[in-house]
Coordinates of all heavy atoms in Angstrom, one line a residue:
M219 N 0.8 -1.1 0.0 CA 0.0 -0.1 0.0 C 0.9 1.2 0.0 O 1.8 1.3 0.7 CB -0.9 -0.1 1.3 CG -1.8 1.2 1.4 SD -2.9 0.9 2.8 CE -2.9 2.6 3.4
T220 N 0.6 2.2 -0.8 CA 1.3 3.4 -1.0 C 0.9 4.3 0.2 O -0.3 4.6 0.5 CB 1.1 4.1 -2.2 OG1 1.4 3.3 -3.3 CG2 1.9 5.4 -2.3
M221 N 1.9 4.9 1.0 CA 1.5 5.8 2.1 C 1.7 7.2 1.6 O 2.6 7.5 0.9 CB 2.5 5.5 3.2 CG 2.3 4.1 3.9 SD 0.7 4.0 4.7 CE 0.9 5.1 6.1
K222 N 1.0 8.1 2.2 CA 1.2 9.4 2.0 C 2.4 9.9 2.7 O 2.8 9.4 3.8 CB -0.1 10.3 2.5 CG -1.3 10.0 1.7 CD -2.5 10.6 2.3 CE -3.8 10.3 1.7 NZ -4.9 10.9 2.1
K223 N 3.1 10.8 2.2 CA 4.4 11.3 2.7 C 4.1 12.3 3.8 O 3.6 13.4 3.6 CB 5.3 11.8 1.7 CG 6.7 12.2 2.2 CD 7.7 12.3 1.0 CE 7.6 13.7 0.3 NZ 8.5 13.9 -0.9
T224 N 4.6 12.1 5.0 CA 4.4 13.0 6.1 C 5.4 14.1 5.9 O 6.6 13.9 5.7 CB 4.7 12.4 7.4 OG1 3.7 11.3 7.8 CG2 4.8 13.3 8.6
V225 N 4.9 15.3 5.9 CA 5.8 16.5 5.6 C 6.3 17.0 7.0 O 7.5 17.3 7.1 CB 5.0 17.6 5.0 CG1 5.9 18.8 4.7 CG2 4.4 17.1 3.5
Q226 N 5.5 17.1 8.0 CA 5.9 17.5 9.3 C 4.9 16.9 10.2 O 3.8 16.6 10.0 CB 5.9 19.1 9.4 CG 4.6 19.8 9.3 CD 4.7 21.3 9.5 OE1 5.7 21.9 9.1 NE2 3.7 21.8 10.0
N227 N 5.3 16.8 11.5 CA 4.6 16.1 12.5 C 3.8 17.1 13.4 O 3.7 16.9 14.6 CB 5.5 15.3 13.3 CG 4.7 14.3 14.2 OD1 3.6 14.0 13.9 ND2 5.3 13.7 15.3
S228 N 3.3 18.1 12.7 CA 2.4 19.1 13.3 C 1.6 19.8 12.3 O 1.8 19.7 11.0 CB 3.3 20.1 14.0 OG 4.1 20.8 13.2
P229 N 0.6 20.4 12.7 CA -0.4 21.1 11.6 C 0.3 22.4 11.2 O 1.1 23.0 11.8 CB -1.6 21.4 12.4 CG -1.3 21.5 13.8 CD -0.1 20.5 14.0
Y230 N -0.2 22.9 10.0 CA 0.1 24.2 9.5 C -1.0 25.1 10.0 O -2.2 24.9 9.6 CB 0.1 24.3 7.9 CG 1.3 23.5 7.3 CD1 1.2 22.1 7.0 CD2 2.4 24.1 7.1 CE1 2.3 21.4 6.4 CE2 3.5 23.5 6.6 CZ 3.5 22.2 6.2 OH 4.5 21.5 5.6
I231 N -0.6 26.1 10.9 CA -1.6 27.0 11.3 C -1.6 28.2 10.3 O -0.5 28.9 10.1 CB -1.2 27.5 12.7 CG1 -1.0 26.4 13.6 CG2 -2.3 28.5 13.3 CD1 -2.2 25.4 13.8
I232 N -2.6 28.5 9.7 CA -2.7 29.6 8.7 C -3.9 30.5 9.0 O -4.9 30.2 9.6 CB -2.8 29.1 7.3 CG1 -4.1 28.4 6.9 CG2 -1.7 28.1 6.9 CD1 -4.5 28.4 5.5
K233 N -3.7 31.7 8.5 CA -4.8 32.7 8.6 C -5.7 32.5 7.4 O -5.3 33.0 6.2 CB -4.3 34.1 8.6 CG -5.2 35.1 8.9 CD -4.7 36.5 9.2 CE -5.7 37.4 9.4 NZ -5.1 38.8 9.8
G234 N -6.8 31.8 7.4 CA -7.6 31.4 6.3 C -8.4 32.5 5.8 O -9.0 33.4 6.7
E235 N -8.5 32.7 4.6 CA -9.3 33.7 3.9 C -10.7 33.0 3.5 O -10.6 31.8 3.3 CB -8.6 34.5 2.8 CG -7.4 35.2 3.2 CD -6.6 35.6 2.0 OE1 -7.2 36.0 0.9 OE2 -5.4 35.7 2.1
K236 N -11.7 33.7 3.1 CA -12.9 33.2 2.5 C -12.6 32.9 1.0 O -12.8 33.8 0.2 CB -14.1 34.2 2.6 CG -14.6 34.3 4.0 CD -15.7 35.3 4.1 CE -17.0 34.8 3.6 NZ -18.1 35.7 3.8
K237 N -12.2 31.7 0.8 CA -11.8 31.4 -0.6 C -11.6 29.8 -0.7 O -11.6 29.1 0.3 CB -10.7 32.1 -1.1 CG -9.4 31.7 -0.4 CD -8.2 32.5 -1.1 CE -6.8 31.9 -0.8 NZ -5.7 32.5 -1.5
K238 N -11.4 29.4 -1.9 CA -11.2 28.0 -2.1 C -9.7 27.6 -2.0 O -8.8 28.5 -2.5 CB -11.7 27.6 -3.6 CG -12.4 26.4 -3.7 CD -12.9 26.2 -5.1 CE -14.4 26.1 -5.1 NZ -14.9 25.9 -6.5
Y239 N -9.4 26.6 -1.3 CA -8.0 26.1 -1.2 C -7.9 24.7 -1.7 O -8.8 23.9 -1.7 CB -7.6 26.1 0.2 CG -7.4 27.5 0.9 CD1 -8.4 28.0 1.7 CD2 -6.1 28.2 0.8 CE1 -8.2 29.2 2.2 CE2 -6.0 29.5 1.4 CZ -7.1 29.9 2.1 OH -6.9 31.1 2.7
A240 N -6.7 24.3 -2.2 CA -6.3 22.9 -2.6 C -5.2 22.5 -1.6 O -4.1 22.9 -1.7 CB -5.8 22.9 -4.0
W241 N -5.6 21.5 -0.7 CA -4.7 21.1 0.3 C -3.9 19.9 -0.3 O -4.5 18.9 -0.9 CB -5.4 20.6 1.5 CG -4.7 20.0 2.6 CD1 -3.8 20.5 3.6 CD2 -4.7 18.5 2.9 NE1 -3.3 19.5 4.4 CE2 -3.8 18.2 4.0 CE3 -5.4 17.5 2.3 CZ2 -3.6 17.0 4.5 CZ3 -5.2 16.2 2.8 CH2 -4.3 16.0 3.9
C242 N -2.6 19.9 -0.1 CA -1.8 18.8 -0.6 C -2.1 17.5 0.1 O -1.8 17.5 1.4 CB -0.3 19.2 -0.6 SG 0.8 17.8 -0.9
A243 N -2.5 16.5 -0.5 CA -2.8 15.2 0.2 C -1.6 14.2 0.0 O -1.5 13.3 0.8 CB -4.0 14.6 -0.3
C244 N -0.7 14.4 -1.0 CA 0.4 13.4 -1.2 C 1.6 13.7 -0.4 O 2.3 12.7 -0.2 CB 0.6 13.4 -2.7 SG 1.4 14.8 -3.3
G245 N 1.8 15.0 -0.1 CA 3.1 15.3 0.7 C 4.2 15.7 -0.2 O 5.3 16.0 0.3
D246 N 4.0 15.7 -1.6 CA 5.1 16.0 -2.5 C 5.2 17.5 -2.9 O 6.2 18.0 -3.5 CB 5.0 15.2 -3.7 CG 5.4 13.7 -3.4 OD1 6.2 13.5 -2.6 OD2 5.0 12.9 -4.2
S247 N 4.2 18.2 -2.5 CA 4.2 19.7 -2.9 C 5.3 20.4 -2.3 O 5.6 20.2 -1.1 CB 2.9 20.3 -2.5 OG 2.9 21.7 -2.8
S248 N 5.9 21.3 -3.0 CA 6.9 22.2 -2.4 C 6.3 23.5 -1.9 O 7.0 24.5 -1.6 CB 8.0 22.5 -3.4 OG 7.5 23.0 -4.6
N249 N 5.0 23.5 -1.9 CA 4.2 24.8 -1.5 C 3.3 24.4 -0.3 O 2.1 24.7 -0.4 CB 3.4 25.4 -2.7 CG 2.7 26.7 -2.2 OD1 3.2 27.4 -1.4 ND2 1.6 27.0 -2.8
Q250 N 3.8 23.6 0.6 CA 2.9 23.1 1.7 C 2.3 24.2 2.5 O 2.9 25.2 2.7 CB 3.8 22.2 2.6 CG 4.3 20.9 2.0 CD 3.1 19.9 1.7 OE1 2.1 20.0 2.3 NE2 3.3 19.2 0.7
P251 N 1.0 24.0 3.0 CA 0.3 22.8 2.9 C -0.6 22.7 1.7 O -1.5 21.9 1.5 CB -0.6 22.8 4.2 CG -0.9 24.3 4.3 CD 0.4 25.1 3.8
F252 N -0.3 23.5 0.6 CA -1.1 23.5 -0.6 C -0.5 22.8 -1.7 O 0.6 22.5 -1.8 CB -1.4 25.0 -0.9 CG -1.8 25.8 0.2 CD1 -1.1 26.8 0.8 CD2 -3.1 25.5 0.7 CE1 -1.5 27.5 1.9 CE2 -3.6 26.3 1.8 CZ -2.9 27.3 2.4
C253 N -1.5 22.4 -2.6 CA -1.1 21.6 -3.8 C -0.3 22.5 -4.8 O -0.6 23.7 -5.0 CB -2.3 21.1 -4.5 SG -2.1 20.3 -6.0
D254 N 0.7 21.9 -5.4 CA 1.5 22.6 -6.5 C 1.5 21.8 -7.8 O 2.2 22.0 -8.7 CB 2.9 22.9 -6.0 CG 3.8 21.8 -5.9 OD1 3.3 20.5 -6.1 OD2 5.0 21.8 -5.8
G255 N 0.7 20.8 -7.8 CA 0.6 19.8 -9.0 C 1.5 18.7 -8.9 O 1.4 17.9 -9.8
S256 N 2.3 18.5 -7.9 CA 3.3 17.4 -7.8 C 2.6 16.0 -7.8 O 3.2 15.0 -8.1 CB 4.1 17.6 -6.5 OG 5.0 18.7 -6.7
H257 N 1.4 15.9 -7.3 CA 0.7 14.6 -7.2 C 0.5 14.0 -8.7 O 0.3 12.8 -8.8 CB -0.7 14.8 -6.6 CG -1.6 15.7 -7.4 ND1 -1.7 17.1 -7.3 CD2 -2.6 15.4 -8.2 CE1 -2.5 17.6 -8.1 NE2 -3.1 16.6 -8.7
M258 N 0.6 14.9 -9.6 CA 0.3 14.3 -11.0 C 1.5 13.4 -11.4 O 1.3 12.6 -12.3 CB 0.2 15.4 -12.0 CG -1.1 16.2 -11.8 SD -1.4 17.4 -13.1 CE -0.7 18.9 -12.3
K259 N 2.7 13.4 -10.8 CA 3.8 12.5 -11.1 C 3.4 11.1 -10.7 O 3.8 10.3 -11.4 CB 5.0 13.0 -10.4 CG 5.6 14.2 -10.8 CD 6.8 14.6 -10.0 CE 7.0 16.1 -9.8 NZ 7.6 16.5 -8.6
S260 N 2.7 10.8 -9.6 CA 2.5 9.5 -9.1 C 1.0 9.2 -9.4 O 0.7 7.9 -9.6 CB 2.7 9.4 -7.6 OG 1.8 10.2 -6.9
E261 N 0.1 10.1 -9.5 CA -1.3 9.9 -9.7 C -1.9 9.0 -8.7 O -3.0 8.3 -8.9 CB -1.5 9.4 -11.1 CG -1.2 10.4 -12.2 CD -1.4 9.9 -13.6 OE1 -1.9 8.8 -13.8 OE2 -1.2 10.7 -14.5
K262 N -1.3 8.8 -7.4 CA -1.9 8.0 -6.5 C -2.9 8.8 -5.6 O -3.7 8.2 -5.0 CB -0.7 7.5 -5.6 CG 0.2 6.5 -6.4 CD 0.3 5.2 -5.8 CE 1.1 4.2 -6.4 NZ 1.6 4.2 -7.8
F263 N -2.6 10.1 -5.4 CA -3.4 10.9 -4.6 C -3.8 12.2 -5.2 O -3.2 12.7 -6.1 CB -2.6 11.3 -3.2 CG -2.1 10.1 -2.5 CD1 -0.8 9.7 -2.4 CD2 -3.0 9.4 -1.7 CE1 -0.3 8.6 -1.8 CE2 -2.5 8.3 -1.0 CZ -1.2 8.0 -1.1
S264 N -5.0 12.7 -4.8 CA -5.5 14.0 -5.3 C -5.6 15.0 -4.2 O -5.8 14.6 -3.1 CB -6.8 13.8 -6.0 OG -6.8 12.9 -7.0
P265 N -5.5 16.3 -4.5 CA -5.5 17.3 -3.5 C -7.0 17.4 -3.0 O -7.9 16.9 -3.7 CB -5.2 18.6 -4.3 CG -5.3 18.3 -5.7 CD -5.1 16.8 -5.8
V266 N -7.2 17.9 -1.8 CA -8.5 18.0 -1.2 C -8.9 19.5 -1.5 O -8.2 20.5 -1.0 CB -8.5 17.8 0.2 CG1 -9.9 18.1 0.9 CG2 -8.3 16.3 0.5
I267 N -9.8 19.8 -2.3 CA -10.3 21.1 -2.5 C -11.3 21.4 -1.6 O -12.3 20.7 -1.4 CB -11.0 21.2 -4.0 CG1 -10.0 20.5 -5.1 CG2 -11.3 22.7 -4.4 CD1 -8.7 21.2 -5.3
F268 N -11.2 22.6 -0.9 CA -12.2 23.0 0.1 C -12.4 24.4 0.0 O -11.5 25.1 -0.3 CB -11.9 22.5 1.5 CG -10.7 23.2 2.2 CD1 -11.0 24.2 3.1 CD2 -9.4 22.9 1.8 CE1 -9.9 24.8 3.7 CE2 -8.3 23.5 2.4 CZ -8.5 24.5 3.3
E269 N -13.7 24.8 0.4 CA -14.0 26.2 0.5 C -14.0 26.7 1.9 O -14.7 26.1 2.8 CB -15.5 26.4 -0.1 CG -16.0 27.8 -0.1 CD -15.7 28.5 -1.5 OE1 -15.7 27.8 -2.5 OE2 -15.3 29.7 -1.4
N270 N -13.1 27.6 2.2 CA -13.0 28.1 3.5 C -14.2 29.1 3.7 O -14.3 30.2 3.1 CB -11.6 28.8 3.8 CG -11.5 29.0 5.2 OD1 -11.8 28.1 6.1 ND2 -10.9 30.1 5.6
E271 N -15.1 28.9 4.7 CA -16.3 29.6 4.7 C -16.2 31.0 5.4 O -16.9 31.9 5.2 CB -17.4 28.8 5.5 CG -17.6 27.5 4.9 CD -18.7 27.5 3.8 OE1 -19.7 28.3 3.9 OE2 -18.5 26.8 2.7
K272 N -15.2 31.1 6.4 CA -15.0 32.3 7.0 C -13.6 32.6 7.4 O -12.7 31.7 7.5 CB -15.8 32.3 8.4 CG -15.5 31.3 9.4 CD -16.3 31.3 10.6 CE -15.8 30.2 11.5 NZ -16.6 30.1 12.8
E273 N -13.2 33.8 7.6 CA -11.9 34.2 7.7 C -11.5 33.9 9.2 O -12.3 33.9 10.1 CB -11.7 35.8 7.6 CG -11.8 36.1 6.2 CD -11.6 37.6 5.8 OE1 -11.3 38.4 6.8 OE2 -11.7 38.0 4.8
G274 N -10.3 33.5 9.4 CA -9.8 33.1 10.8 C -8.8 32.0 10.7 O -8.4 31.5 9.6
T275 N -8.2 31.7 11.8 CA -7.2 30.7 11.9 C -7.7 29.3 11.7 O -8.7 28.9 12.2 CB -6.5 30.8 13.3 OG1 -6.0 32.2 13.5 CG2 -5.3 29.8 13.5
I276 N -6.9 28.6 10.8 CA -7.3 27.1 10.6 C -6.0 26.3 10.7 O -4.9 26.8 10.4 CB -8.0 26.8 9.3 CG1 -7.3 27.5 8.1 CG2 -9.4 27.4 9.3 CD1 -7.9 27.2 6.8
A277 N -6.2 25.0 11.2 CA -5.1 24.1 11.3 C -5.3 23.1 10.2 O -6.0 22.2 10.3 CB -5.1 23.5 12.7
L278 N -4.3 23.2 9.2 CA -4.3 22.1 8.2 C -3.3 21.1 8.5 O -2.2 21.4 8.8 CB -3.9 22.9 6.9 CG -5.0 24.0 6.4 CD1 -4.5 24.6 5.1 CD2 -6.3 23.3 6.2
C279 N -3.6 19.8 8.2 CA -2.8 18.7 8.6 C -1.5 18.8 7.9 O -1.4 19.0 6.6 CB -3.5 17.4 8.2 SG -2.6 16.0 8.4
G280 N -0.3 18.6 8.6 CA 1.0 18.5 8.0 C 1.5 17.1 7.9 O 2.4 16.8 7.1
C281 N 0.9 16.2 8.7 CA 1.4 14.9 8.7 C 0.8 14.0 7.6 O 1.3 13.0 7.3 CB 1.2 14.1 10.0 SG -0.5 13.7 10.3
K282 N -0.3 14.5 7.0 CA -1.1 13.8 5.9 C -1.7 12.5 6.3 O -2.1 11.8 5.4 CB -0.2 13.6 4.7 CG 0.7 14.7 4.3 CD -0.2 15.9 3.8 CE 0.7 17.1 3.5 NZ -0.2 18.3 3.1
Q283 N -1.9 12.3 7.5 CA -2.5 11.0 8.0 C -3.8 11.3 8.7 O -4.5 10.4 9.3 CB -1.6 10.3 9.0 CG -0.2 10.1 8.5 CD -0.1 9.3 7.2 OE1 -0.8 8.3 7.0 NE2 0.8 9.8 6.3
T284 N -4.3 12.6 8.8 CA -5.6 12.9 9.4 C -6.7 12.1 8.9 O -6.7 11.7 7.8 CB -5.8 14.5 9.2 OG1 -7.0 14.7 9.9 CG2 -5.9 14.9 7.8
G285 N -7.7 11.9 9.8 CA -8.9 11.3 9.4 C -10.0 12.2 9.0 O -11.0 11.8 8.6
N286 N -9.6 13.5 9.0 CA -10.6 14.6 8.6 C -9.9 15.5 7.7 O -9.8 16.7 8.1 CB -11.1 15.3 9.9 CG -12.1 16.3 9.6 OD1 -12.9 16.1 8.7 ND2 -12.2 17.3 10.4
P287 N -9.4 15.1 6.6 CA -8.7 16.0 5.7 C -9.6 17.2 5.2 O -10.7 17.0 5.0 CB -8.3 15.2 4.5 CG -9.1 14.0 4.6 CD -9.6 13.8 5.9
P288 N -9.0 18.3 5.1 CA -7.7 18.8 5.1 C -7.2 19.1 6.6 O -6.1 19.7 6.8 CB -7.6 20.1 4.3 CG -8.9 20.7 4.4 CD -9.9 19.6 4.6
F289 N -8.1 19.0 7.6 CA -7.8 19.5 8.9 C -7.1 18.6 9.8 O -7.3 17.5 9.8 CB -9.1 20.0 9.5 CG -10.0 20.9 8.7 CD1 -11.1 20.5 7.9 CD2 -9.6 22.2 8.5 CE1 -11.8 21.4 7.1 CE2 -10.3 23.1 7.7 CZ -11.4 22.7 7.0
C290 N -6.3 19.2 10.7 CA -5.6 18.4 11.7 C -6.7 17.8 12.7 O -7.7 18.5 13.2 CB -4.7 19.4 12.5 SG -4.0 18.5 13.9
D291 N -6.6 16.6 12.9 CA -7.5 15.9 13.9 C -6.7 15.3 15.1 O -7.3 14.6 15.9 CB -8.4 14.8 13.2 CG -7.6 13.7 12.8 OD1 -6.4 13.6 13.0 OD2 -8.2 12.7 12.4
G292 N -5.5 15.7 15.2 CA -4.6 15.3 16.3 C -3.9 13.9 16.0 O -3.1 13.4 16.9
T293 N -4.2 13.3 14.9 CA -3.5 12.0 14.6 C -2.0 12.1 14.7 O -1.3 11.2 15.1 CB -3.9 11.5 13.2 OG1 -5.3 11.3 13.2 CG2 -3.2 10.2 12.8
H294 N -1.4 13.3 14.4 CA 0.1 13.5 14.4 C 0.6 13.1 15.7 O 1.8 12.7 15.8 CB 0.4 14.8 14.0 CG 0.0 15.9 14.9 ND1 -1.3 16.6 14.8 CD2 0.6 16.4 16.0 CE1 -1.4 17.4 15.7 NE2 -0.3 17.4 16.5
S295 N -0.1 13.2 16.8 CA 0.4 12.9 18.1 C 0.7 11.5 18.4 O 1.4 11.2 19.3 CB -0.7 13.4 19.2 OG -1.0 14.8 19.1
S296 N 0.1 10.6 17.5 CA 0.3 9.2 17.8 C 1.3 8.6 16.7 O 1.4 7.4 16.6 CB -1.1 8.5 17.6 OG -1.7 8.6 16.4
L297 N 1.9 9.4 15.9 CA 2.8 8.9 14.9 C 4.2 8.6 15.5 O 4.6 9.3 16.4 CB 2.9 9.8 13.7 CG 1.6 10.1 12.9 CD1 1.8 11.1 11.8 CD2 1.0 8.8 12.4
Ligands
FES418 S1 -0.7 17.4 11.5 FE1 -1.8 15.6 10.7 S2 -3.4 15.1 12.2 FE2 -2.3 16.9 13.1

C-alpha cells in the first residue's frame, strides 16, 4: 500500500481567507500545505479542494495522516 508522505509532525496554522484552497494530500508539494501539482507525477493521490467559509485561523494537517482532511484531527500525536 502506498503511504502518503508525512511532511511535518504538526499542523500548518494559517490565517484562512474566505476562498477555495487545494490542500496537498500526497506530501510532495513544495508549497505546503497547498497543492503545487506534484501529485500528477504519481497519480496516487489527489488534492483536497475545500471552500473556507469564514476568515480566521485554521489548522491544516501537515502529517497527511488525518482522518478529517484537510484539517488536523490530532493524529500526528500518535505517529
Ligand atoms: S498534523 Fe496531521 S493530524 Fe495533525
Side-chain angles (χ1 to χ4, degrees):
M219 179 175 143
T220 304
M221 294 292 292
K222 295 175 181 177
K223 184 162 81 183
T224 293
V225 178
Q226 65 178 32
N227 197 19
S228 59
Y230 290 92
I231 308 299
I232 67 161
K233 187 172 181 180
E235 299 172 32
K236 283 175 79 170
K237 67 176 195 176
K238 227 177 236 183
Y239 288 99
W241 173 77
C242 169
C244 67
D246 285 333
S247 172
S248 56
N249 185 35
Q250 293 295 330
F252 305 111
C253 175
D254 72 353
S256 294
H257 64 277
M258 289 187 270
K259 292 180 213 155
S260 68
E261 298 182 354
K262 299 239 181 340
F263 302 105
S264 298
V266 174
I267 311 295
F268 72 102
E269 182 91 37
N270 194 46
E271 306 271 322
K272 59 181 183 180
E273 294 182 359
T275 303
I276 52 178
L278 298 177
C279 174
C281 73
K282 310 301 181 186
Q283 310 303 317
T284 180
N286 184 31
F289 305 105
C290 172
D291 69 353
T293 299
H294 64 271
S295 300
S296 60
L297 298 178

